[in-house]
């Protein structure tokens, strides 16, 4: 079968390369057992790209990204690059990719896998079966708004400032993604802002409310972001799909991830708009970040990266069956009692990154037999 699916793999920093390596096993398995061949290219991003080429997202990487059908991203950042000037930091690698590829819809599921309900900081019955999706706007808002800077005023005092700004078009397009998702799930969407104190929040609420008319099957509600944080930390199962700005979505998705008790299990997808032929840029990454404290020790949980690859199959290639297969394999490994350190419980068998990856492939073998 011809290799027609162009995949760009950007391992990045910290545990990124270790967990991406486990996905390569899954890619090889698909090739061998399901005759699905990918044309895989690797590229540099983050601190690794700074060290090799002096930029967190070099033009070469942007070219590769523009030519790829989907990007599998590891993670960026670490103490080694902490003292770099703001404009040269590894984090700018992911921000440039999001902005220049137009990846405006960041889908962050927070799922509690039944075998892991005990790992949550909340009581197991509050989170067991939790399955919510945060749709975070990811190319606008205060992350990119102008003006921004640090300046000295005429009286000699200094100030730092950023701008939260959202155009009508930016709100409508990400809201549509959230409504479409909600329509396919339980039909409930919670839109989050601070309409009580921010003009951009008032505008957000107005535009989302208007967009709701296009989706009569979805029940829209609004919630202030601070209240949403409180509700997520106390009664997370009331939510199905949450729509939020770039900054609020960043905060709430970390909180939702913590509530699941296993940051090392959560994938994400960041999607652009489809062009006239239906092709869209898309990037898939775990939520956990580069975890420099455990990098290189072979103990990181590869599941979030493997599950990000499952999302890639689903969203970029419509390979629902293969995506499910991988998700089921991960679930089987967990219920079989294998655990990496981050999701360890008494009585389970503690394993490292590569044993976990191998176990997933073994389950895939069994399921496909
Ligand atoms: C995330 C991260 C990034 C963000 C950083 C690494 C720039 O926290 O993807 O949530 O703030 O968007
Ligand atoms: Mg974040």
């Amino acid at each position: 079968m011809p290799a027609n699916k162009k995949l760009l793999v950007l391992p990045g920093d910290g545990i990124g390369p270790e967990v991406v390596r486990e996905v390569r096993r899954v890619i090889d398995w698909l090739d061998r057992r399901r005759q699905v061949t990918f044309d895989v290219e690797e590229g540099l991003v983050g601190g690794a790209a700074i060290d090799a080429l002096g930029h967190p997202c070099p033009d070469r990487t942007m070219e590769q990204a523009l030519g790829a059908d989907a990007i599998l991203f590891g993670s960026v950042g670490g103490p080694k690059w902490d003292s770099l000037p703001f404009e040269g930091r590894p984090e700018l690698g992911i921000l440039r990719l999001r902005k220049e590829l137009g990846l405006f819809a960041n889908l962050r599921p927070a799922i509690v896998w039944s075998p892991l309900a005990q790992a949550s900081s909340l009581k197991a019955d509050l989170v067991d079966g939790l399955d919510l999706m945060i749709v975070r706007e990811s190319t606008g808002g205060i992350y990119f708004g102008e003006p921004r800077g640090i300046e000295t005023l005429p009286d000699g005092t200094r100030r730092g400032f950023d701008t939260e700004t959202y155009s009508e078009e930016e709100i409508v397009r990400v809201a549509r993604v959230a409504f479409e998702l909600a329509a396919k799930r339980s039909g409930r969407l919670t839109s989050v802002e601070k309409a009580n104190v921010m003009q951009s929040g008032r505008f957000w609420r107005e535009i989302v409310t208007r967009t709701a008319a296009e989706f009569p099957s979805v029940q829209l509600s609004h919630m202030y972001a601070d209240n949403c944080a409180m509700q997520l930390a106390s009664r997370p199962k009331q939510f199905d799909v949450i729509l939020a700005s770039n900054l609020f979505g960043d905060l709430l998705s970390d909180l939702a991830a913590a509530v699941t008790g296993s940051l090392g299990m959560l994938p994400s997808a960041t999607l652009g708009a489809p062009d006239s032929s239906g092709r869209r840029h898309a990037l898939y990454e775990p939520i956990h970040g580069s975890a420099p404290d455990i990098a290189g020790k072979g103990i990181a949980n590869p599941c979030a990266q493997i599950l990000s690859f499952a999302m890639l199959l689903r969203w970029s290639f419509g390979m629902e069956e293969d995506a499910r297969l991988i998700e089921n394999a991960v679930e089987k490994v967990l219920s079989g009692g294998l655990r990496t350190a981050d999701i360890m419980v008494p009585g389970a068998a503690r394993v490292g990154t590569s044993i976990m990856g191998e176990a997933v492939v073994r389950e895939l073998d069994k399921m496909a037999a």
Side-chain angles (χ1 to χ4, degrees):
M1 184 178 254
N4 53 358
K5 298 178 178 63
K6 285 189 80 169
L7 209 62
L8 175 63
V9 176
L10 299 173
D13 310 320
I15 61 172
E18 298 164 49
V19 290
V20 163
R21 202 173 301 135
E22 301 311 312
V23 177
R24 298 299 285 256
R25 289 185 207 268
V26 177
I27 295 177
D28 290 345
W29 183 87
L30 283 173
D31 194 355
R32 229 172 35 243
R33 296 297 303 268
R34 308 272 296 172
Q35 276 94 48
V36 185
T37 303
F38 294 90
D39 178 359
V40 186
E41 218 183 293
E42 272 212 16
L44 289 166
V45 76
I50 295 173
D51 290 350
L53 298 166
H55 193 286
C57 187
D59 290 341
R60 167 83 191 113
T61 302
M62 278 313 302
E63 272 165 39
Q64 290 175 300
L66 285 164
D69 293 317
I71 303 169
L72 186 75
F73 188 94
S75 50
V76 291
K80 181 174 177 197
W81 305 280
D82 271 352
S83 55
L84 287 178
F86 191 72
E87 304 70 35
R89 294 175 56 82
E91 287 77 4
L92 291 177
I94 182 68
L95 297 182
R96 181 177 186 197
L97 285 163
R98 284 179 190 154
K99 190 68 177 175
E100 292 188 22
L101 297 173
L103 306 173
F104 65 90
N106 186 197
L107 274 42
R108 301 193 153 186
I111 293 175
V112 170
W113 299 72
S114 278
L116 298 181
Q118 305 294 337
S120 170
S121 50
L122 299 186
K123 294 187 192 77
D125 63 309
L126 288 179
V127 296
D128 197 9
L130 178 72
D131 178 358
L132 67 83
M133 176 73 93
I134 296 183
V135 178
R136 167 193 179 194
E137 200 290 329
S138 46
T139 51
I142 204 162
Y143 272 59
F144 297 97
E146 298 284 348
R148 52 177 34 223
I150 299 174
E151 67 180 9
T152 304
L153 299 173
D155 68 359
T157 58
R158 298 172 73 219
R159 65 169 198 147
F161 54 100
D162 295 277
T163 305
E164 172 80 344
T165 164
Y166 271 110
S167 70
E168 189 167 341
E169 194 236 329
E170 284 175 312
I171 301 170
V172 170
R173 66 181 183 175
V174 73
R176 285 193 177 129
V177 172
F179 276 109
E180 274 161 22
L181 262 169
K184 285 195 208 132
R185 293 168 54 108
S186 76
R188 283 179 300 119
L189 174 64
T190 309
S191 172
V192 169
E193 23 62 6
K194 286 282 288 177
N196 50 346
V197 287
M198 294 166 70
Q199 294 290 353
S200 55
R202 278 178 62 196
F203 189 57
W204 180 279
R205 186 177 286 216
E206 175 193 323
I207 301 304
V208 173
T209 303
R210 197 191 65 202
T211 309
E214 299 169 26
F215 302 89
S217 71
V218 177
Q219 191 195 330
L220 170 68
S221 59
H222 305 276
M223 198 178 268
Y224 297 141
D226 51 347
N227 184 26
C228 183
M230 192 266 277
Q231 299 289 339
L232 269 173
S234 47
R235 283 199 313 118
K237 282 202 261 184
Q238 70 185 282
F239 297 106
D240 184 31
V241 180
I242 295 176
L243 168 65
S245 66
N246 207 344
L247 183 62
F248 291 148
D250 181 46
L251 304 177
L252 294 174
S253 61
D254 261 30
L255 177 57
V259 160
T260 70
S262 40
L263 201 55
M265 294 295 304
L266 296 177
S268 75
T270 319
L271 311 174
D275 65 14
S276 52
S277 62
R279 189 172 173 269
R280 74 189 332 166
H281 289 299
L283 179 148
Y284 303 83
E285 61 179 319
I287 290 197
H288 53 55
S290 62
D293 51 322
I294 58 164
K297 296 187 177 158
I299 58 172
N301 187 348
C303 290
Q305 192 78 55
I306 292 173
L307 294 168
S308 298
F309 180 65
M311 278 188 102
L312 178 154
L313 296 178
R314 173 175 294 124
W315 283 90
S316 282
F317 300 121
M319 294 167 63
E320 179 63 32
E321 196 186 326
D322 298 88
R324 285 252 167 95
L325 212 58
I326 294 169
E327 288 160 354
N328 290 342
V330 170
E331 172 129 49
K332 285 251 168 63
V333 169
L334 296 177
S335 37
L338 288 198
R339 294 285 191 282
T340 42
D342 56 309
I343 49 175
M344 190 59 195
V345 286
R350 183 177 183 143
V351 297
T353 311
S354 63
I355 303 272
M356 198 71 169
E358 276 166 25
V360 171
V361 170
R362 229 182 1 258
E363 282 303 332
L364 283 170
D365 266 333
K366 277 195 224 158
M367 289 188 319

